[in-house]
Amino acid sequence: MKSLSTKQQAILEFLRQFIRDKDYPPSIRDIQLGCKISSTSVVDYNLKALERLGHIRRDREVSRAIELLDGTGRRPSTIPVPIIGTIAAGEPIPVPSADTWSNIDYDNVVEVTEEMTGGKAQVYALRVKGDSMIDALVNDGDIVILEATHSAADGEMVAAWLKDTGEVTLKRFYMDGDRVRLQPANATMKPIFTDPENLEIQGRVLTTIGNRG
Amino acid sequence: MKSLSTKQQAILEFLRQFIRDKDYPPSIRDIQLGCKISSTSVVDYNLKALERLGHIRRDREVSRAIELLDGTGRRPSTIPVPIIGTIAAGEPIPVPSADTWSNIDYDNVVEVTEEMTGGKAQVYALRVKGDSMIDALVNDGDIVILEATHSAADGEMVAAWLKDTGEVTLKRFYMDGDRVRLQPANATMKPIFTDPENLEIQGRVLTTIGNRG
DNA sequence: TTCTTACCAGAACACTCGTTCCGAATAGAA
DNA sequence: TTCTATTCGGAACGAGTGTTCTGGTAAGAA
């Protein structure tokens, strides 16, 4: 495959930047100015080359109809995930209601990419309080992103409420015969075995975010 | 808040559909046709209303310069952070070059919000390999976001190279007299004391992201 | 040399597109 | 009723914009 000239690379980079910035593609003359190209025909010439090489797609005769084909064009949309409370060992975690997502408190959200939520709905976040979740590799102040659910498949990390001890914990869920094994993310720590009846799954952990600033 | 007329709702829906479909916004006349509106001035009128109500943003005098602000929209800008390699105990971490940010490999990035990078420049990411970083509360496969720097202030978490043992580690940095104390994020684990000469700071940890799907 | 190919400069053309103006219909309040 | 605000139709203006035409430059092959 033919390699791109510096001018073509500059145009591609400018396209990415412009779209990321303004959410709509530039016109030919925007590119001309942005890349310091002397003529619109040169821009057109190079755009045609880029189109032939498969880097962009253009709708003829339509202004600003340039589409990037290498996946970098669309600014990845972020999703506001409401932080509805804290999670700590000794207290039950807050339960999200339908209202949680229809009426988001924008002062208490964490914006994440769809990549982090896996495209799931009913996603909420909790702030970790205290050091008790260290076996799940989350620290005081970290944020845990959860999907609201009451069931889990083997190997998924869940927020679970243990009725007997009155504690909430973040562990990986496994069925072991008729018992449940809760495995800490930290492999050096021991799992918990318990009866399914003793367990109340309150959410599935999608992502953890630790701010170490 | 004033509710939207059916025409305005139709326009919003058409905008979403069009952008999702073509990756660039429609022109006024595209909207006119798509929503079966009789005149461009009516489209303009309703777009102005939508802008006043905060649903869209428009750049005047520029064709197709309509940006959706809600739904998929009021999104804070995300930044592509290049993942330039892996981090493991026994090997030095890759060093970012100037080229790292000027020529981003879009197949190997993680998109994060500015909130997570703290607005810093020269931010890069590493994927954690193995379980050796567990005392920093990051697991195999997690992503660590770093700022390229060679110095650190007390209490900051750094990626440091220990010359004597030939190992890299993620710890909080403290000056303790003329010695350096490296404190694991996991408070139950013991700190390392070492000579400043033995230490090479390779980056400052901004955020950790753990995917527990 | 001559021919070919790739790339560029400038200008012009025709269509696209945002904007605006004038007027009308409609609805609600006074 | 009359007044006012809102919404709409139709048309036109002018700037924005993609395209094309003509010609030029540079490099390489025949």
Side-chain angles (χ1 to χ4, degrees), chain B residues 131-151:
Chain B
D131 298 332
S132 56
M133 297 289 163
I134 271 198
D135 62 343
L137 300 181
V138 288
N139 210 353
D140 187 40
D142 288 1
I143 285 174
V144 179
I145 295 176
L146 297 156
E147 177 193 9
T149 179
H150 294 292
S151 61

Side-chain angles (χ1 to χ4, degrees), chain B residues 10 30 36 53 75 84 91 145 194:
Chain B
D30 287 336
K36 297 184 175 52
L53 295 174
R75 37 200 187 182
I84 65 173
E91 45 193 76
I145 295 176
T194 186

Side-chain angles (χ1 to χ4, degrees), chain B residues 35-53:
Chain B
C35 297
K36 297 184 175 52
I37 294 174
S38 51
S39 171
T40 59
S41 64
V42 178
V43 178
D44 187 61
Y45 174 84
N46 284 288
L47 284 180
K48 276 180 179 142
L50 285 173
E51 186 171 25
R52 187 157 27 84
L53 295 174

Side-chain angles (χ1 to χ4, degrees), chain A:
Chain A
M1 164 155 161
K2 188 111 172 287
S3 66
L4 281 63
S5 72
T6 61
K7 193 165 299 193
Q8 286 161 359
Q9 285 182 21
I11 290 178
L12 266 188
E13 187 50 41
F14 179 77
L15 281 172
R16 278 192 265 269
Q17 194 69 38
F18 194 100
I19 294 174
R20 175 173 290 276
D21 212 42
K22 311 215 183 200
D23 255 15
Y24 54 82
S27 69
I28 301 272
R29 284 169 180 84
D30 287 336
I31 300 173
Q32 182 189 358
L33 285 173
C35 297
K36 296 184 173 53
I37 294 173
S38 50
S39 170
T40 59
S41 66
V42 179
V43 178
D44 188 59
Y45 174 84
N46 285 288
L47 284 180
K48 275 178 179 147
L50 285 173
E51 187 172 23
R52 189 157 25 85
L53 295 173
H55 288 90
I56 61 173
R57 196 177 63 76
R58 294 214 291 166
D59 281 1
R60 304 281 292 269
E61 313 263 335
V62 179
S63 73
R64 299 175 187 272
I66 302 174
E67 180 180 351
L68 283 170
L69 291 180
D70 47 1
T72 63
R74 258 184 305 273
R75 199 158 69 175
S77 45
T78 63
I79 301 163
V81 175
I83 305 176
I84 64 173
T86 59
I87 178 172
E91 45 193 77
I93 68 177
V95 179
S97 63
D99 183 68
T100 301
W101 295 283
S102 63
N103 203 341
I104 292 180
D105 170 17
Y106 279 94
D107 291 333
N108 246 326
V109 295
V110 55
E111 295 275 349
V112 301
T113 58
E114 280 186 12
E115 180 188 9
M116 295 185 195
T117 65
K120 301 276 172 40
Q122 299 206 322
V123 178
Y124 61 101
L126 298 173
R127 191 173 293 279
V128 176
K129 197 167 70 179
D131 298 332
S132 56
M133 297 289 162
I134 271 196
D135 62 343
L137 299 180
V138 289
N139 209 354
D140 186 40
D142 287 0
I143 286 174
V144 178
I145 295 175
L146 297 155
E147 177 193 10
T149 180
H150 293 292
S151 62
D154 257 31
E156 291 180 336
M157 186 177 247
V158 297
W161 176 254
L162 295 169
K163 293 176 187 167
D164 56 358
T165 57
E167 289 207 342
V168 65
T169 182
L170 297 175
K171 300 243 180 342
R172 288 200 182 276
F173 174 94
Y174 294 94
M175 285 304 294
D176 237 27
D178 60 349
R179 308 266 299 168
V180 169
R181 174 164 52 94
L182 294 175
Q183 187 82 42
N186 186 337
T188 64
M189 305 188 91
K190 295 234 171 77
I192 296 176
F193 292 90
T194 186
D195 194 271
E197 295 297 315
N198 184 43
L199 197 71
E200 198 169 292
I201 293 176
Q202 307 195 305
R204 183 181 308 150
V205 179
L206 301 174
T207 309
T208 63
I209 299 175
N211 192 314
R212 304 295 147 77

